[in-house]
Amino acid sequence: MEQTIFDHMEPVRGITEKSIKNIPEEMADIIPEGFNNSIRWNFGHIAFVQEKLVFGLTGEEMMVPKNYERFFGAGSKPADWTGYPPSFMEIASVLAGQKSRIKTYLHGRLDQKLPSPYTNRSGITFYTAGEAFLFGFYHEAMHMETIKQIYRSILNKG
């Protein structure tokens, strides 16, 4: 089952990686009416949250740049940014690098208990590394749908 889970990560993350390469960066920071965040924020948020779910919650060092939490953490938004956010190229590199690090780190550890249970903003409590990691698939898909909606909104307005 573990291999099946890791194999499933490939197409899920593959969709995200393909999308960040295909969306023009000049659309990255547009926030259409009805949305709270930008395309750049959503891609960065996917990277940051997956890092937190797999590495942060298990007590391992998170390898995303330190400024990712400030730019892309839960509750952050582009309107509050100071300084320049990471480029699409940098975010794409973080997203691509996570796959192999996750597979290596979580191999044989999906049932490993977290140092302490973690309850996310939706009220879901994770007890194991595998539970947190699997939630990442849902989270990533949800934000990819938002990215698609923002992108369509920008195209339709232009």
Side-chain angles (χ1 to χ4, degrees):
M1 181 55 102
E2 178 180 277
Q3 190 57 49
T4 301
I5 292 169
F6 290 143
D7 288 347
H8 184 65
M9 180 175 55
E10 291 296 331
V12 171
R13 183 50 61 90
I15 291 167
T16 303
E17 290 175 300
K18 182 178 179 185
S19 295
I20 199 169
K21 290 176 183 168
N22 289 335
I23 295 175
E25 190 157 4
E26 56 266 17
M27 293 181 169
D29 299 310
I30 299 169
I31 303 173
E33 190 174 324
F35 294 92
N36 296 320
N37 290 304
S38 64
I39 291 172
R40 183 186 316 272
W41 182 90
N42 278 277
F43 280 124
H45 183 70
I46 289 168
F48 175 76
V49 169
Q50 186 68 289
E51 190 78 12
K52 181 177 179 179
L53 288 171
V54 173
F55 300 102
L57 296 185
T58 60
E60 289 296 308
E61 181 180 359
M62 292 174 47
M63 300 302 287
V64 294
K66 298 293 182 211
N67 65 356
Y68 271 51
E69 183 167 16
R70 179 170 48 90
F71 282 116
F72 307 123
S76 67
K77 59 185 184 289
D80 296 337
W81 289 352
T82 56
Y84 295 101
S87 69
F88 263 18
M89 187 183 310
E90 181 186 324
I91 296 169
S93 176
V94 168
L95 289 166
Q98 278 180 334
K99 289 186 302 190
S100 61
R101 287 190 309 106
I102 288 169
K103 284 181 185 180
T104 299
Y105 176 69
L106 284 181
H107 178 70
R109 294 183 178 178
L110 292 177
D111 292 327
Q112 176 182 312
K113 296 275 187 220
L114 297 176
S116 59
Y118 176 80
T119 303
N120 70 10
R121 294 176 81 175
S122 299
I124 300 169
T125 301
F126 308 118
Y127 298 94
T128 67
E131 289 170 346
F133 173 56
L134 288 172
F135 178 79
F137 292 144
Y138 164 77
H139 179 264
E140 189 158 336
M142 183 180 68
H143 282 280
M144 282 305 304
E145 181 57 31
T146 300
I147 288 166
K148 288 179 192 174
Q149 290 174 2
I150 292 171
Y151 182 70
R152 278 190 227 116
S153 181
I154 293 168
L155 289 178
N156 291 336
K157 199 163 196 172

